[in-house]
Every structure is written in C-alpha cells, then in structure tokens.
Amino acid sequence: EMQLVESGGGLVQPGGSLRLSCAASGFTFRDYSMNWVRQAPGKGLEWVASMSYDSKYIYYPDSVRGRFTTSRDNAKNSLYLQMDSLRADDTAVYYCTKSLAADRDCFDPWGRGTLVIVSS
Amino acid sequence: EIVLTQSPATLSLSPGERAALSCRASQSVSTYLAWYQQKPGQAPRLLIYDASNRATGVPARFSGSGSGTDFTLTISSLEPEDFAIYYCQQRSNWPRTFGQGTKLEIK
C-alpha cells in the first residue's frame, strides 16, 4: 500500500523558518514526481511545489517562489519542503502528494498532512 | 494562471439522487482535469483524472466528462458517504490550480 507521512509542522513566528519532511513507502519513490499542496483552515486547496523524479525540474507558484524550496533524497525515499520568511498567510495543513504517473501530474495518493501555524 | 470556477458552491441533495458538479476553466485545459473528494478531517482523494478516467478503487457511480473549458463530475446515485467537498484541478499549465470547491450536503 502506498503511504506518505508528513512531519515537521508546528508553531513558528512570522519571518521564521520550518522544514517539512515526507516519508514515502509502498512504491518506487525514485520513479515519480512529488508535490506539496496546502490548505489554509476552512479554505480550499493550493498547490505549493512540484519536483520531478530526478530533481531536474522544480516548479512553484508565485506565492511561495523565493521563500520555499523543495528537495528530495531518493535513497531515503523522502521529500522535503524548506520554508523561509514565513508569513501568517502560510498557515495551513501541508500535504505531500505523489504524481499519479510520469506524464500525469495529478495527485495520488496524499499524506494526512502536517499543520503549520505562523503566529507571534 | 488558469482559474477554475466550480458551481454550485453548495449542492443539497438526498441519497439516491443524481448529482452534477460543474468546473469551468478560464482557458482551455484540453482534458487535463482531475476531480478530488475531501471529507472532514481527511486528506483529499483522487476520483477522476484526465477528465473521464476513474482512479483505482473509485466506484462506478462516479463519472467525469468534458473537454476544453467545461467539465462535469456526475454521481449517478448518491450514497451517504458521498457527501463531501469536491475540487477540480488542472494540469495543463503552471501553476497548477484548483477550483474553490463544491460542498455536497444532505438535503
């Protein structure tokens, strides 16, 4: 069974940093693009980052570009999200997701998420 | 950025009824559209990809249709477990974008 488990969330002050991790199992991690999607409390879904299987291609929306950095370690079956210069509007549950297939950039499965709260 | 507009915002129906949820894109996304279901306190779940393909394990009562800018998720006969929030998402262009969601509630 494919499984994604996020960790590293918590309370951080505005301007601070946090690093999220995602541990993958049940599939060949090195073969798939991986992604981060977030959901602010009571709000909809927002795509945050995507990284190709070989780390060659990385994409971000304007809302986080220059502040967030995603990376992966295929030897450890792990995905990471380094979040710097955090703002109150970054408060959300952050989900790690796998791309459905090499040429199908939709998200399946999803982890349970980790909550990031940016507040003083 | 491609904007996805879902309608209605809330749909009130009874078990056994047919549901039709709409997603309209601000420009063509071909058939690169997916649908997700999210229940309270849970992560989203992929239902439909590439407009009309059911994901693994998704019941046959869920179907997707459309291309270009207009898409529909249809649930043929609602089961109690289908009442949830549904999101569409496009993978045609960067940034990837989601619709704002349709809440399907019990009437």
Side-chain angles (χ1 to χ4, degrees):
Chain A
E1 178 192 1
M2 292 184 289
Q3 191 170 15
L4 299 168
V5 179
E6 304 91 340
S7 60
L11 176 63
V12 60
Q13 292 189 337
S17 298
L18 211 56
R19 188 192 195 213
L20 306 184
S21 298
C22 171
S25 60
F27 64 98
T28 306
F29 181 76
R30 64 177 180 269
D31 287 348
Y32 291 91
S33 294
M34 296 295 295
N35 316 273
W36 294 95
V37 176
R38 69 183 179 183
Q39 186 170 36
K43 302 298 184 182
L45 302 170
E46 181 186 16
W47 166 74
V48 171
S50 291
M51 170 171 267
S52 63
Y53 71 99
D54 58 359
S55 304
K56 187 177 292 188
Y57 301 101
I58 304 174
Y59 303 92
Y60 305 98
D62 288 347
S63 58
V64 307
R65 186 178 294 115
R67 300 188 300 120
F68 289 12
T69 304
T70 192
S71 61
R72 64 190 294 162
D73 185 335
N74 286 345
K76 294 183 177 181
N77 291 342
S78 293
L79 179 72
Y80 307 100
L81 185 67
Q82 176 67 40
M83 303 186 295
D84 299 319
S85 303
L86 283 161
R87 311 185 304 220
D89 63 358
D90 294 318
T91 294
V93 174
Y94 285 74
Y95 294 103
C96 170
T97 76
K98 167 188 155 294
S99 289
L100 180 64
D103 60 346
R104 289 200 170 100
D105 196 18
C106 45
F107 309 129
D108 178 64
W110 298 56
R112 297 185 69 174
T114 188
L115 177 61
V116 173
I117 300 173
V118 184
S119 175
S120 55
Chain B
E1 171 175 324
I2 296 177
V3 176
L4 299 178
T5 303
Q6 293 187 240
S7 61
T10 303
L11 184 58
S12 300
L13 294 171
S14 301
E17 290 193 292
R18 180 185 184 92
L21 286 65
S22 174
C23 178
R24 178 162 291 179
S26 59
Q27 64 188 76
S28 176
V29 299
S30 184
T31 56
Y32 299 136
L33 190 103
W35 290 94
Y36 301 85
Q37 176 193 66
Q38 188 177 32
K39 298 179 181 179
Q42 296 185 16
R45 169 198 179 196
L46 177 67
L47 296 177
I48 301 288
Y49 64 93
D50 292 353
S52 61
N53 297 283
R54 272 190 303 276
T56 302
V58 174
R61 64 182 180 272
F62 291 91
S63 63
S65 62
S67 65
T69 61
D70 290 306
F71 300 86
T72 302
L73 174 69
T74 301
I75 310 171
S76 58
S77 178
L78 285 165
E79 297 288 340
E81 62 267 27
D82 298 337
F83 293 91
I85 299 175
Y86 293 83
Y87 295 96
C88 57
Q89 175 245 329
Q90 63 82 21
R91 66 175 186 90
S92 175
N93 284 22
W94 299 100
R96 302 310 192 219
T97 51
F98 290 88
Q100 83 281 13
T102 289
K103 182 179 182 180
L104 179 56
E105 65 176 24
I106 300 177
K107 187 174 182 180

